[in-house]
Amino acid sequence: MRILLAGGAGYIGSHTALALLRAGHEVTVIDNFVNSSPEAIRRIENLAGKQVSLIRGDVRKKTDLLPVLKNGGFDGAVHFAGLKSVGESLQKPILYYRNNIDTTLTLLECMEETHLSSIIFSSSATVYGSNNPVPYREDMPRGLCTNPYGTTKSMMEQIFHDAAAANPELSVVLLRYFNPIGADSSGRIGEDPQGIPNNLMPYIAQVAVGRREKLTVFGGDYPTPDGTCQRDYIHVSDLAQGHLKALEYAVSHTGCEIFNLGTGTPYSVLETVRTFEQVSGVKIPYVIGDRREGDLPACWADASKAEKILDWKAERTLEDMCRDAWNWQKNNPMGYETLHKS
Ligand code: NAD
Ligand code: UDP
């Protein structure tokens, strides 16, 4: 297949690009590098021994995107291009609505004009909101989100639903990711956050490599077995394989289908810290701090729909995730070294 990855230079996009190349597909990436580095693409090409067609462009701009679709002859597209920081979205809601909604609308308009009909969208478990019981199933209603980032995901899902309802040729797969962590086992590509990491695993990895002094565990008094929050961590390489399966599904179906991509097994913050310590042999100093506003005590997937319909199941363990995250971090202490770091 020939696949367009919008935002394909980022963390999940780069791992998906690598998985696609390794499976023999052709990959075009359009990215404005607002949160990524062209170095990731260079490394993917190196690892796969194949070329990526790379376009520096803004997915919001039709003048950037339309020529790519007109000339690409694509079988499908994956829409990763979005801003993803929950905290930043509270500070800069307009930026988040503008970027995330506009990329989606422009992509759908350009697809319609060029008769490209299969699209995979990077959604999130955050759309379940706070009132559904765990584990989350795809047929549960979307909930109210506590931040603009989550609201953009919920709004974009609705846009895709409406677009698919109006166009019988369109095939949309909404993938609700749980907590992607880890890195390709080569240690050559991985998660490279700008500034202080918001997410748990990059923070732990930066403590391990000496860039941060200690981890603050956000809350130790939740109604969970050890008092810390539980999440469904999923290896980014398993997630990447899920996109391959979703693309195969999308090109042979129409309509709008939702799949959770998670393992179905929750781990607490402290279990994750301990597992990282075990596989890396590095002690992670931590303190228990206040709860972070908006965090749910527990979030995990019912992952059975993807297994049944896509024939996809996460294979890698929490040990694999921690080992690969550490392998990436220790080989690249400052990430790709082309982004602003502190
Ligand atoms: P990322 O920031 O590493 O990747 C996003 C990519 O999109 C970056 O390369 C960025 O430069 C690019 N981009 C953003 N706006 C753009 C624009 N207007 N034009 C062109 N490129 C643009 O993030 P990621 O972790 O790889 O996430 C990919 C997608 O998955 C995002 O939509 C994110 O919201 C979603 N998601 C991520 C997680 C997670 O924990 N990483 C969880 C759930 C959902
Ligand atoms: N977390 C933490 N300290 C940090 C970052 C995260 O204790 O520095 C906790 C957070 O409260 C949550 C879990 O780790 O329970 C996963 O958080 P992350 O931001 O990675 O993902 P989220 O589930 O919030 O999307």
Side-chain angles (χ1 to χ4, degrees):
M1 293 186 286
R2 297 180 80 160
I3 304 298
L4 175 70
L5 303 183
Y11 173 48
I12 301 169
S14 58
H15 287 81
T16 304
L18 183 58
L20 282 164
L21 291 177
R22 282 175 170 158
H25 301 294
E26 288 176 47
V27 173
T28 296
V29 167
I30 177 166
D31 204 299
N32 64 359
F33 301 109
V34 67
N35 194 38
S36 56
S37 163
E39 174 64 13
I41 302 295
R42 205 187 60 73
R43 293 190 186 186
I44 294 162
E45 292 181 327
N46 209 266
L47 285 166
K50 289 184 185 153
Q51 298 287 302
V52 170
S53 169
L54 177 62
I55 291 109
R56 183 183 287 267
D58 191 326
V59 176
R60 288 172 297 184
K61 291 190 190 154
K62 214 165 173 176
T63 46
D64 285 0
L65 188 62
L66 193 56
V68 180
L69 264 74
K70 275 189 173 155
N71 299 326
F74 298 113
D75 299 294
V78 188
H79 180 19
F80 299 105
L83 300 175
K84 63 165 182 176
S85 161
V86 168
E88 189 184 45
S89 80
L90 287 159
Q91 309 294 321
K92 301 175 183 170
I94 298 164
L95 175 72
Y96 270 66
Y97 285 111
R98 174 63 82 192
N99 191 74
N100 292 0
I101 306 294
D102 271 5
T103 50
T104 302
L105 293 175
T106 305
L107 189 50
L108 279 167
E109 278 174 4
C110 292
M111 286 177 64
E112 193 165 72
E113 277 184 47
T114 58
H115 305 288
L116 175 59
S117 56
S118 297
I119 174 93
I120 313 299
F121 174 60
S122 300
S123 190
S124 165
T126 193
V127 302
Y128 287 106
S130 50
N131 289 329
N132 283 307
V134 282
Y136 295 143
R137 280 194 331 267
E138 293 87 344
D139 57 5
M140 290 173 172
R142 291 199 307 268
L144 269 186
C145 298
T146 53
N147 58 79
Y149 164 73
T151 308
T152 68
K153 289 291 175 203
S154 195
M155 290 168 78
M156 290 185 282
E157 283 204 0
Q158 190 61 49
I159 291 168
F160 279 113
H161 271 293
D162 294 344
N167 177 358
E169 273 159 32
L170 197 58
S171 177
V172 175
V173 174
L174 307 176
L175 295 180
R176 293 180 177 163
Y177 308 156
F178 280 69
N179 286 61
I181 60 171
D184 183 65
S185 60
S186 65
R188 298 282 295 149
I189 59 170
E191 189 169 13
D192 186 18
Q194 299 186 50
I196 301 168
N198 299 305
N199 299 110
L200 180 65
M201 185 50 68
Y203 205 104
I204 292 175
Q206 290 195 10
V207 172
V209 85
R211 274 173 72 182
R212 315 274 159 209
E213 190 195 337
K214 59 176 183 301
L215 172 74
T216 301
V217 175
F218 297 143
D221 59 352
Y222 283 100
T224 58
D226 67 14
T228 67
C229 293
Q230 296 174 305
R231 294 290 181 271
D232 184 340
Y233 297 100
I234 172 165
H235 196 295
V236 68
S237 299
D238 280 334
L239 197 76
Q241 285 301 328
H243 290 73
L244 266 67
K245 294 288 191 176
L247 279 161
E248 284 165 15
Y249 177 88
V251 297
S252 55
H253 290 78
T254 56
C256 183
E257 208 55 64
I258 305 172
F259 296 100
N260 288 336
L261 293 186
T263 64
T265 306
Y267 288 100
S268 74
V269 176
L270 289 181
E271 284 173 317
T272 308
V273 170
R274 271 187 227 110
T275 305
F276 189 97
E277 289 182 330
Q278 273 161 22
V279 301
S280 67
V282 181
K283 189 107 196 91
I284 305 297
Y286 70 83
V287 291
I288 307 279
D290 292 339
R291 292 182 176 195
R292 181 171 68 179
E293 210 183 318
D295 275 348
L296 297 175
C299 166
W300 74 91
D302 177 327
S304 57
K305 184 178 173 189
E307 183 173 2
K308 192 165 152 219
I309 296 177
L310 299 181
D311 188 29
W312 171 89
K313 193 174 181 297
E315 307 283 352
R316 294 164 177 85
T317 63
L318 186 63
E319 282 79 9
D320 297 330
M321 302 180 213
C322 291
R323 191 196 53 240
D324 290 338
W326 174 230
N327 190 31
W328 151 254
Q329 190 72 66
K330 73 169 187 273
N331 287 318
N332 306 269
M334 296 300 285
Y336 294 114
E337 300 201 53
T338 53
L339 295 168
H340 170 72
K341 301 283 160 58
S342 62

